[in-house]
Amino acid sequence: MTMKCSKLVEVGRRQFLRGGVIGAAGAAAATFVSPSEARAQALALVDYPANRLANIADLAVNEPMHVTYPDEDSPGVLLKLGKAVAGGAGPDGDIVAFSVLCPHKGWPLTYHADDMTLNCPGHFSRFDCEAGGQQTWGHATQNLPQFSLRVDDKGDIYAEGVDELIYGRLSNVLA
């Protein structure tokens, strides 16, 4: 004896595709946020206290300076790249800072001056410092956490937030 479910509906290919397009458009409309809200969500910045990292005079082009931010348990690197980059601070827009813990497994990253990347010795992930820490190779599943920087009129460089989750932390909130 064969039984048919009375709940089944015959759906043709065109009707199925039409439903998918309408559903996708509805989902896109429901998730619309203002550009300022989208930036805040994308950066996921937390209100950290401003920490002085260095002064512009302390930096040499393409030579990393080791720093810690947002606390002593979070190693980072401060770089003057020598050319303006997105997210760069300072008068030339070329100063950036990143966490140096690989977001994949927390291995300490090393800076390669020849191609301005931070590289992981563990699983070979590579992060482009000129492109905001964007991952270009490897096992990591997120970009490198970049510190939000501000430079005052005396040339002091302050870190004021982080745009990604730092490895080993459940949130970017200080205890």
Side-chain angles (χ1 to χ4, degrees):
M1 177 169 140
T2 307
M3 299 185 86
K4 285 192 171 186
C5 178
S6 62
K7 304 283 185 201
L8 290 177
V9 177
E10 288 282 328
V11 178
R13 189 178 97 223
R14 287 184 185 179
Q15 186 176 358
F16 176 79
L17 292 173
R18 187 179 317 122
V21 169
I22 291 170
T31 59
F32 177 76
V33 293
S34 72
S36 61
E37 289 173 359
R39 176 168 165 69
Q41 289 174 2
L43 294 179
L45 290 175
V46 175
D47 289 332
Y48 286 122
N51 286 358
R52 183 185 178 280
L53 300 179
N55 186 283
I56 292 175
D58 301 331
L59 299 176
V61 173
N62 210 17
E63 290 184 22
M65 173 182 279
H66 297 284
V67 296
T68 58
Y69 185 76
D71 53 45
E72 294 300 315
D73 295 325
S74 184
V77 65
L78 183 64
L79 297 162
K80 181 170 179 57
L81 298 175
K83 63 179 177 180
V85 295
D92 300 325
D94 65 342
I95 301 171
V96 294
F98 300 96
S99 169
V100 291
L101 296 176
C102 182
H104 177 233
K105 293 285 183 180
W107 287 76
L109 303 175
T110 57
Y111 182 67
H112 288 217
D114 57 336
D115 61 357
M116 296 182 183
T117 60
L118 283 160
N119 300 283
C120 180
H123 296 102
F124 309 110
S125 291
R126 297 170 55 92
F127 303 92
D128 187 345
C129 295
E130 295 176 295
Q134 181 178 1
Q135 179 188 350
T136 58
W137 182 261
H139 287 55
T141 57
Q142 75 180 48
N143 294 331
L144 198 57
Q146 183 172 6
F147 305 157
S148 176
L149 300 178
R150 172 180 58 87
V151 179
D152 70 10
D153 56 352
K154 293 181 261 177
D156 288 332
I157 305 164
Y158 292 87
E160 298 183 323
V162 182
D163 70 352
E164 295 275 352
L165 188 62
I166 296 170
Y167 179 81
R169 298 179 183 223
L170 300 177
S171 72
N172 276 343
V173 178
L174 294 175

